[in-house]
Amino acid sequence: MLKKFALIVAGGSGSRMQQMLPKQFIEIAGKPILMHTFEAFSHFDTSIEFVLVLPESQVKTWEKLCSNHNFNIPFQLAHGGTVRFESVKNGLNLIQEDGIVFIHDGVRPFVSEQTLQNCLNATLDKGNALPVVPVTESVRYIDKQKNQAVDRSKYFLVQTPQTFYVSEIKEAYNQPYSSRFTDDASVLEKLGKEINTVPGNRENIKITYPEDMI
């Protein structure tokens, strides 16, 4: 059986949420957002093994929340770095076997089982998967010289989990960091690998602003 891992990256500070509490710890329906995210994967496949990446300063808060909520999904814990690239790399270092890894934002609790299945199927078939949704609003390109309308049918919003074979994404993360690495797919792309997109689900938002809590 091919092993499956969920690498959950939760490094938010809560500043844009206008709260002192980091956003992944804010409660929705009686439990922290981060716990809902874990459960989305666990409900999809109970055999998934978890790696959680948290800033070292937030570990005690998370441990207390786990105790208060009787949270019993097992996980390995890695400390976050100064940039997301370092955080993901720290998490990948804890995965010692090959298999498939879903790299997911801790504040995307509404990822659907269909999106997870789409990512798994495409990775098994083509080597990786990037969930996307179409842009529905008009889009303009703006720089210091001009602004102009662009064809929105050629643009898509990128979500997570970005999904890979462990060995391949580990190789990609052995590269030196670049500010051009905007997500995990861009790190793999730098090795010349083709990225495969799959349909995401529009509810799979990254909770960032107060209005997202609705």
Side-chain angles (χ1 to χ4, degrees), residues 123-144:
T123 303
L124 289 171
D125 185 39
K126 299 180 179 179
N128 61 70
L130 182 69
V132 299
V133 293
V135 173
T136 57
E137 300 187 38
S138 294
V139 177
R140 295 191 72 82
Y141 172 81
I142 300 174
D143 63 19
K144 291 180 180 179

Side-chain angles (χ1 to χ4, degrees), residues 90-104:
N90 291 347
L92 288 171
N93 285 339
L94 293 183
I95 302 176
Q96 299 301 316
E97 301 174 68
D98 202 12
I100 287 177
V101 58
F102 301 87
I103 304 178
H104 191 64

Side-chain angles (χ1 to χ4, degrees), residues 26-42:
I26 297 172
E27 289 193 5
I28 295 178
K31 68 182 71 171
I33 290 169
L34 186 52
M35 292 184 185
H36 288 287
T37 301
F38 267 82
E39 289 174 354
F41 284 87
S42 186

Side-chain angles (χ1 to χ4, degrees), residues 6 8 31-46 48 50 71 73 102 104-106 108-117 160-161 201 204:
I8 310 295
K31 68 182 71 171
I33 290 169
L34 186 52
M35 292 184 185
H36 288 287
T37 301
F38 267 82
E39 289 174 354
F41 284 87
S42 186
H43 292 160
F44 171 67
D45 187 335
T46 56
I48 286 179
F50 289 90
F71 184 71
I73 297 176
F102 301 87
H104 191 64
D105 296 325
R108 290 187 189 266
F110 304 122
V111 60
S112 69
E113 289 196 13
Q114 185 61 61
T115 294
L116 294 175
Q117 191 66 58
T160 67
N201 61 291
N204 184 23

